[in-house]
Amino acid sequence: MAQKITLEVAKKEQVTEKVYFVTFRLVTPSSIDFRAGQNMMLMISPGINRTMSIASPPSQNQELLIVHDVSPMGPGSQWTLGLKVGDRATIVAPTGGALSFIQSPRKKVMVATGTGVAPFHAMVLDYFNAGTSAQQTPLVLYWGLRYEQDVYWKEEFDRVSSLHPTFIWHLILSRPTEVWQGGRGHVTEYVLETEKDMEHTEFYLCGNKTMIEEVREALLTKNVPKEQIKTELFY
């Protein structure tokens, strides 16, 4: 159940030119119960709130991580840029949960653009903390970015993949340099060209509106049941 929570900034880290990690420590109450894939609503100032995905897994219930792309430079971006360790904040959480995994043996495919990967980070970590039954189900992540300098979490996703053979992830860049060795192009086309047996797969989409609309429409034309397509518009 959503509740008002007081937080304190424990850590703030700039991970790319425009993306920041902010780790909040819970003050009152001191812990929170939530499902991987749920959100928090930041109360930035009177009349200005921002919904952010919780990027840390539920097992870390005394801290909450957000991933914020500050390039829009609106009130939310300015608020994050101005944060300092020790600052207090108020949130309402947990909220949402449209992306939380369906409990089923079907293969689960996540598609993200930009910081839309944040909820999937929590979901992947939580998934492999759930026990051996969950680990037997294939889990695939497709993450679309523009440039090499936009990448973060590569080492972490590589680590999870090395520990859990049922987890595979693909990093696709739309504007890479010539030396880039990974996927190229748009994540939408990459997913549709790579995935097979789509009717028996669940799809979780988070990111920009164009990607979500294009992938969802393509999946429906390939007879993927709409109940197996979960979406959340991130920006």
Side-chain angles (χ1 to χ4, degrees):
M1 180 179 295
Q3 59 183 318
K4 187 174 287 189
I5 300 171
T6 301
L7 308 172
E8 183 177 276
V9 178
K11 185 179 180 181
K12 176 181 171 183
E13 180 184 7
Q14 184 175 5
V15 295
T16 73
E17 182 180 354
K18 60 184 180 180
V19 175
Y20 285 79
F21 288 175
V22 182
T23 302
F24 295 97
R25 180 170 51 249
L26 275 72
V27 177
T28 308
S30 59
S31 64
I32 181 176
D33 292 323
F34 66 96
R35 300 192 315 277
Q38 287 192 288
N39 306 323
M40 56 192 275
M41 185 174 70
L42 283 163
M43 304 175 73
I44 291 173
S45 62
I48 300 179
N49 304 318
R50 291 291 182 272
T51 297
M52 305 289 292
S53 290
I54 301 173
S56 46
S59 58
Q60 298 174 13
N61 63 357
Q62 296 181 329
E63 291 186 340
L64 295 174
L65 171 66
I66 65 168
V67 182
H68 199 170
D69 180 346
V70 300
S71 56
M73 294 305 292
S77 301
Q78 296 289 347
W79 183 82
T80 292
L81 288 170
L83 283 178
K84 301 182 296 296
V85 172
D87 285 351
R88 293 287 178 100
T90 302
I91 66 168
V92 174
T95 60
L99 291 174
S100 295
F101 284 140
I102 300 168
Q103 292 187 352
S104 80
R106 289 186 292 262
K107 178 181 179 180
K108 303 178 191 307
V109 172
M110 299 163 287
V111 186
T113 53
T115 51
V117 75
F120 297 143
H121 177 262
M123 291 162 67
V124 167
L125 296 183
D126 182 61
Y127 191 79
F128 291 108
N129 284 335
T132 55
S133 60
Q135 294 174 13
Q136 295 172 2
T137 302
L139 190 66
V140 183
L141 169 65
Y142 295 87
W143 184 15
L145 294 165
R146 290 183 179 178
Y147 309 105
E148 286 99 321
Q149 59 264 35
D150 295 332
V151 179
Y152 50 93
W153 274 337
K154 182 181 185 302
E155 292 78 9
E156 181 155 24
F157 287 136
D158 283 345
R159 178 186 62 81
V160 176
S161 182
S162 68
L163 293 172
H164 303 283
T166 52
F167 175 59
I168 299 171
W169 80 289
H170 305 271
L171 182 60
I172 303 97
L173 301 186
S174 60
R175 302 179 184 177
T177 63
E178 293 181 359
V179 300
W180 175 248
Q181 298 295 314
R184 293 172 175 265
H186 293 285
V187 69
T188 300
E189 288 79 11
Y190 201 95
V191 171
L192 298 175
E193 290 173 1
T194 305
E195 284 301 313
K196 312 299 179 186
D197 194 25
M198 295 186 186
E199 293 181 49
H200 300 100
T201 301
E202 295 163 14
F203 291 86
Y204 301 80
L205 318 177
C206 188
N208 67 65
K209 182 179 180 180
T210 300
M211 180 277 286
I212 289 176
E213 290 180 345
E214 289 180 352
V215 175
R216 187 175 188 277
E217 184 63 29
L219 294 176
L220 291 173
T221 62
K222 293 180 181 294
N223 300 315
V224 178
K226 62 181 181 180
E227 296 80 12
Q228 291 169 211
I229 307 171
K230 302 184 75 174
T231 67
E232 186 163 284
L233 182 65
F234 208 77
Y235 53 89

